[in-house]
Amino acid sequence: AILEATRRLLDRQHLGEIRVADVALEAGVSPSNFYTYFKTVEEPVLALCEAAAVDFAPLSRHLEGDWSTENAFAAARAYVMDVLLIWRDHGPVLRIEHMLADKGEAGFVEARIRRLRRVHLSLERRIAVAHATGYHAPGLDPRLTSYEVANLVESVAGGFDLMRRGDTPPDAIIDTTAHIVVKLVTGR
């Protein structure tokens, strides 16, 4: 009840505006019940981040399949689509994870690393193959590139509605992002 209450509040308010009393009221429990499980409002948010990580685990399947010239775009597009769907479901929580991880909050840093580990490793392996075969510039670092590709797709997912405010059709955003991913990953 506390986690779902926290999620509902994050859909309506900024983290800094939410107090323990607010979460307890939304969950239908007393503040002392909240403190039985959590010390701060950030703790249930961290638990929600860890729950979102479960949805990220299968994403690597898009990156480990066939990325031949004729299949790379479809695989990249499927990856982008799945990230968009996950961000649709967990966006407020993932934005907080990004913000607090960027500020160096240890629990959120670790949550973000764990959430994206499989994706980074899958991207890094694919980029390293392209790099070894000469498709990338000699100075390109496959590990760093894997982080940047994953962050690019998450950034698009986080700002998808903002990009749609213009006259840009959703498929154009998705396809453009997939083309960029293919280029960065394969060098083709």
Side-chain angles (χ1 to χ4, degrees), residues 105-117:
E105 296 283 337
F108 290 91
V109 169
E110 288 304 313
R112 187 172 175 183
I113 289 169
R114 279 192 305 274
R115 179 172 61 82
L116 293 172
R117 181 168 284 131

Side-chain angles (χ1 to χ4, degrees), residues 61-98:
R61 77 183 183 282
H62 298 305
L63 308 169
E64 294 168 352
D66 179 9
W67 273 58
S68 58
T69 302
E70 54 277 347
N71 295 319
F73 176 77
R77 192 177 198 285
Y79 167 65
V80 170
M81 286 295 300
D82 279 357
V83 172
L84 286 169
L85 292 172
I86 292 168
W87 270 77
R88 183 196 64 203
D89 294 341
H90 301 286
V93 169
L94 294 173
R95 281 182 187 86
I96 292 167
E97 180 197 70
H98 276 245

Side-chain angles (χ1 to χ4, degrees), residues 103-162:
K103 288 184 175 184
E105 296 283 337
F108 290 91
V109 169
E110 288 304 313
R112 187 172 175 183
I113 289 169
R114 279 192 305 274
R115 179 172 61 82
L116 293 172
R117 181 168 284 131
R118 284 185 185 170
V119 168
H120 285 158
L121 291 173
S122 297
L123 284 167
E124 183 180 357
R125 280 192 293 272
R126 188 153 304 280
I127 293 164
V129 168
H131 189 267
T133 55
Y135 285 109
H136 288 300
L140 183 126
D141 181 304
R143 184 172 15 148
L144 180 57
T145 305
S146 76
Y147 298 153
E148 292 185 15
V149 170
N151 285 334
L152 165 80
V153 176
E154 287 213 313
S155 178
V156 169
F160 191 75
D161 289 337
L162 182 61

